[in-house]
């Protein structure tokens, strides 16, 4: 691997085992104010609990949170012809609908609360115990429930999406 070249991509990811959302707070504040960030993070978590299903895991990333839903079994990303599987497509549509719901919830907080797009299956998240250099603090495990696993169709229902919402999102893709 040549330094600086990206080697992880959707093409070399054979399965998806979770869906997660990355929410940053006061990302552009320099110097970073940890007390203010913690207040905003606490607020964001309380709001997310009211609009989204219960997550499997929440990581405090240093400058925000990563909010995870673990599938009960991995979802194959590509079929033998290297086309996205139907389950993978549903995963993408469900993610896009939930992402839009989150962005709408925090639209008035733009610049204070930013919901990032995590559409790369191979994306790596900050692990608890690693340092977020910009924030000057370590990522922490906030919540983890190993029993909180979701069948894909059940998570779809938990989000409360209608087929019309998914079809609308599909038309944008």
């Amino acid at each position: 691997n040549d330094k600086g070249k990206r080697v992880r991509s959707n093409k070399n990811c054979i399965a998806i085992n979770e869906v997660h959302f990355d929410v940053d707070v006061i990302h552009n504040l320099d110097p970073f104010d940890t007390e203010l960030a913690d207040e905003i993070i606490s607020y964001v978590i309380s709001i997310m609990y009211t609009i989204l299903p219960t997550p499997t895991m929440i990581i405090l990333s240093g400058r925000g949170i990563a909010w995870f839903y673990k599938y009960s079994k991995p979802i194959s990303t590509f079929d033998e012809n290297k086309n996205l599987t139907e389950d993978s497509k549903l995963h993408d549509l469900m993610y896009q609908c939930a992402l839009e719901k989150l962005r709408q919830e925090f639209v008035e907080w733009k610049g204070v609360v930013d919901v990032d797009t995590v559409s790369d299956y191979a994306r790596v998240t900050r692990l608890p115990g690693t340092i977020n250099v910009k924030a000057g603090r370590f990522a922490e495990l906030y919540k983890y429930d190993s029993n909180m696993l979701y069948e894909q169709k059940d998570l779809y229902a938990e989000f409360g999406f209608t087929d019309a919402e998914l079809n609308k999102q599909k038309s944008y893709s």
Side-chain angles (χ1 to χ4, degrees):
N1 169 10
D2 293 334
K3 208 170 191 151
K5 280 195 176 176
R6 184 174 172 199
V7 293
R8 64 174 174 78
S9 71
N10 285 354
K11 285 185 251 171
N12 52 19
C13 184
I14 61 170
I16 306 164
N17 66 357
E18 54 83 19
V19 57
H20 77 273
F21 302 96
D22 182 12
V23 181
D24 294 324
V25 301
I26 54 175
H27 204 62
N28 297 320
L29 187 63
D30 192 22
F32 190 71
D33 183 334
T34 56
E35 280 186 38
L36 178 59
D38 288 345
E39 284 182 44
I40 296 169
I41 288 168
S42 179
Y43 171 75
V44 167
I45 289 172
S46 68
I47 294 297
M48 289 178 71
Y49 266 113
T50 66
I51 63 170
L52 296 176
T54 302
T56 306
M57 180 170 62
I58 301 171
I59 294 176
L60 303 176
S61 62
R63 290 183 82 122
I65 64 170
W67 185 276
F68 290 84
Y69 298 97
K70 179 137 178 30
Y71 290 127
S72 58
K73 61 183 182 280
I75 295 169
S76 294
T77 49
F78 299 99
D79 63 20
E80 61 279 350
N81 297 319
K82 304 208 188 264
N83 296 315
L84 282 175
T85 63
E86 290 305 311
D87 284 344
S88 185
K89 290 176 185 176
L90 178 60
H91 166 91
D92 291 350
L93 289 171
M94 187 172 55
Y95 173 76
Q96 289 301 324
C97 284
L99 184 68
E100 184 58 30
K101 184 177 189 176
L102 267 178
R103 286 189 170 147
Q104 288 305 312
E105 186 66 34
F106 295 111
V107 72
E108 307 228 353
W109 288 76
K110 187 74 179 146
V112 176
V113 176
D114 295 309
V115 182
D116 291 343
T117 301
V118 184
S119 58
D120 180 356
Y121 304 144
R123 181 165 173 176
V124 178
T125 190
R126 190 173 306 280
L127 296 174
T130 60
I131 193 165
N132 183 319
V133 175
K134 291 178 183 175
R137 58 190 191 166
F138 291 93
E140 299 175 37
L141 182 62
Y142 179 81
K143 175 222 187 263
Y144 177 67
D145 182 350
S146 62
N147 296 314
M148 187 61 64
L149 303 175
Y150 291 93
E151 292 287 329
Q152 186 182 29
K153 62 181 174 36
D154 295 339
L155 185 56
Y156 163 78
E158 287 272 340
F159 276 118
F161 298 134
T162 64
D163 289 337
E165 285 175 298
L166 286 178
N167 286 332
K168 179 181 175 188
Q169 188 61 45
K170 190 186 273 187
S171 69
Y172 295 139
S173 306

